[in-house]
Amino acid sequence: MRYMTAQSAKAAAMALAEEPGKSRVLAGGTDLLVQMKAGNLAVDLVIDIKQIPGIRDITAEAGGFRIGAAVANSELREHAGVCKMWPGVVEAAGLIGSTQVQGRCTMAGNLCNGSPAGDAVPALVAADAQVRIEGPDGVRNVAVLDIPAGPGKTTLTKAEIVTSILLPARPARSGDAYLRFIPRTEMDIAVASAAVSLTLDAAGAVTAARVSLGAVAPKVLLVDAAAKAIIGTKLDDAALAALAMACEAACNPIDDKRGTIAFRTSTAGVLARRAAKIAYDRAQSAANDKGAK
Amino acid sequence: MKSLHVSTTINGDPVEFICDPDEPLLDVLRNRLHLTGAKEGCGTGDCGACSITLNGRLVCSCLVLGAEAQGAEISTIEGMADGEQLHPLQRAFIDGAAFQCGVCTPGILVAAKALLEKNASPSDEEVRYWLAGNLCRCTGYDKIIAAVQVAAAEMRGA
């Protein structure tokens, strides 16, 4: 195996393009090193992207935040601005692994690892985050939703790297939340998860919403029908029931030792309800903080 | 494969080593530098017995390549005591019988020290969640939590 440190995204892309064997990008390494150790991944070239200028930075952009692909989740959680604007994204990213894993792991890595249960992904989808990708031919920006291609797979080409994730600006009275079910108390893989991001009007009715489910399909889901079920409502019981039903209908999970199809499906609906309520409360608090009327 | 030459700082001392590109930092510490305090409990980042800090961040050394230590500041359990003077956490663990076989202990001490540097007054629940990535098969964790709190109180009062 060879190890190189890329000094620019372009250099990383070129190295990936030119490598005839198996190459992997290294940021946090908390998935990569485990896979290498397990022996089912004979990597020929590891490209460490942590030295690329800006790739470890969080910068305010267009009213939101651009988060470099190599920002460790422990660092993300210490950023007051991101925590305030996107608490659901931060709590999702913050659930990955342990304190030690948090010292290294990244949202971009969680996304690119392609696990259907990756915790950061549903929250990023609900946030409508955009991924900046750099390849030998230049830069493109893609919705997070368009990155997963199936278990362990992404739509990135061999020579592309993610350089940053953009969390967009928030209208006033907005909130997001992420919840997952795991059998243990911590340090486990999501059996089902739900992320909700929503915006309210002055009267407290939902004007916009995105509902995303994880670990219940080969890829993360964006459930339009669930969002539609709560738009125009104040999350009354009927709206929440419709939200849960729409979520259940969208699920396409597997049966395995972590959970049955039936359990994952019903849990996804329950988590979506709870996440919607938390996001709603956060949206109202955000309005109160800003003194909005 | 071609070896790499790495220059780093460990417990305040400049250190240089040679390693394979795919060699974890844990293996470098134990096998090349004879800093055997960090233990390999799992090798996959689940047990925390290999915990160190890297540039001030608590990490599993089994999840870091030796190559990634280039230019970094690393702290291991070997750097916790000040010469012959044990750290309050170390004394609290001895006095409170917070270890049995001791395999998890270096990792737990490094992790607990990182916690108290960030939060000098953690609740028991905060200690437990912070230490969720440090597994112990012997003690049942109770005396560990108690010892961390004893040390925390001393460090606040001192």
Side-chain angles (χ1 to χ4, degrees), chain A residues 37 50 78 99-100 104, chain B residues 51 57 68 118 130 134:
Chain A
K37 191 142 196 159
K50 294 192 284 292
E78 289 169 354
T99 311
Q100 288 87 344
R104 300 291 278 176
Chain B
S51 297
R57 250 343 138 178
E68 295 179 270
K118 197 172 166 141
W130 180 273
N134 290 85

Side-chain angles (χ1 to χ4, degrees), chain A residues 1-5 26 44-51, chain B residues 2 4 20-22 65-70:
Chain A
M1 192 195 99
R2 285 141 35 237
Y3 166 92
M4 67 162 277
T5 307
L26 172 65
D44 297 298
L45 174 65
V46 162
I47 300 175
D48 190 335
I49 60 167
K50 294 192 284 292
Q51 309 264 346
Chain B
K2 188 178 155 156
L4 302 171
D20 294 336
D22 62 351
L65 293 174
E68 295 179 270
Q70 174 65 36

Side-chain angles (χ1 to χ4, degrees), chain A residues 242-265:
Chain A
L243 166 91
M245 259 182 45
C247 285
E248 291 187 18
C251 287
N252 179 26
I254 55 170
D255 259 341
D256 73 0
K257 65 182 178 185
R258 298 185 196 288
T260 60
I261 291 171
F263 180 76
R264 291 177 194 264
T265 301

Side-chain angles (χ1 to χ4, degrees), chain B residues 153-158:
Chain B
E154 180 186 324
M155 288 164 72
R156 285 193 301 270

Side-chain angles (χ1 to χ4, degrees), chain B residues 86-100:
Chain B
L86 293 180
H87 189 279
L89 276 164
Q90 291 171 309
R91 274 189 283 104
F93 271 53
I94 293 170
D95 295 345
F99 59 92
Q100 291 178 33

